[in-house]
Amino acid sequence: LNWLIRRKVPRGIAVVIVFLAVMVGFLGVGLLLANAVSGFVEAVPSYKDKLDGISEALVRLLARLGLKRPPKEFLDGIEPSSVLDMFTVAMGSLVSVLSQSLVVAFYLVFLLLEASRFRQKLVAAMGPKADTSAMDRIVTDAQNYVGIKTGINFLWGMLVWIVALFFGLSFA
């Protein structure tokens, strides 16, 4: 926001631009997730076949080792329907997170509207001799922290994605 304001973009328009950028980001993430969900739903039948093959192989392995057949509850635990139930719960949680993120985005608009006036309000409340250097240092430190944290999280996400691709995980 400050970057836009320094480039002589009116404050109201700058807030709208930042808000639209955040919304485009949310839309992009939503589209990526929708695509992943669609692909997962299409792949469920092949996962069912793979799970059936794994459970049959497990039963044969246990029989060769002289062990009894695993309890029915164990085999039921790897049924595709239970995987789909977990998927449904995960999608419900995801929708909840996205809706909460939308509320945060609206808070962001109001914070952005007041951010550039905060120093003026502080000086008006404390008087013209108010020392704002501590506040400037706090803001700079907070911006540096958020930047570093964002970079580290991005790199960590990329590393996890690369490892998932290396192991051949679908929908990495």
Side-chain angles (χ1 to χ4, degrees):
L1 180 67
N2 290 336
W3 182 83
L4 290 170
I5 291 172
R6 282 192 305 266
R7 279 154 183 73
K8 307 295 186 217
V9 175
R11 202 164 132 293
I13 293 173
V15 168
V16 169
I17 290 171
V18 170
F19 181 73
L20 288 176
V22 169
M23 288 296 108
V24 166
F26 280 131
L27 179 64
V29 169
L31 290 174
L32 285 173
L33 290 174
N35 189 22
V37 168
S38 171
F40 180 78
V41 168
E42 290 175 8
V44 165
S46 67
Y47 288 155
K48 179 188 180 321
D49 295 339
K50 287 180 183 178
L51 284 174
D52 288 343
I54 290 170
S55 64
E56 289 172 12
L58 178 64
V59 168
R60 287 193 304 272
L61 174 67
L62 292 176
R64 274 189 291 183
L65 294 174
L67 300 173
K68 293 190 292 185
R69 184 176 174 96
K72 181 172 177 11
E73 296 82 25
F74 175 76
L75 292 177
D76 288 344
I78 58 173
E79 284 293 315
S81 61
S82 59
V83 173
L84 288 176
D85 289 343
M86 288 188 304
F87 179 72
T88 303
V89 169
M91 286 301 106
S93 299
L94 180 65
V95 167
S96 174
V97 166
L98 289 177
S99 65
Q100 291 173 2
S101 297
L102 188 62
V103 171
V104 169
F106 282 113
Y107 282 139
L108 175 67
V109 170
F110 293 109
L111 287 172
L112 290 173
L113 285 170
E114 289 300 317
S116 62
R117 294 184 188 161
F118 183 72
R119 179 184 312 283
Q120 296 164 346
K121 289 180 179 183
L122 184 64
V123 169
M126 304 292 273
K129 294 184 180 183
D131 182 17
T132 60
S133 63
M135 184 184 72
D136 293 338
R137 195 170 53 256
I138 290 170
V139 168
T140 302
D141 289 349
Q143 289 173 340
N144 289 339
Y145 170 79
V146 169
I148 292 168
K149 187 72 171 168
T150 301
I152 289 171
N153 286 340
F154 176 77
L155 292 174
W156 183 250
M158 292 303 293
L159 177 66
V160 168
W161 179 68
I162 289 168
V163 169
L165 285 178
F166 176 76
F167 285 109
L169 295 176
S170 301
F171 308 105

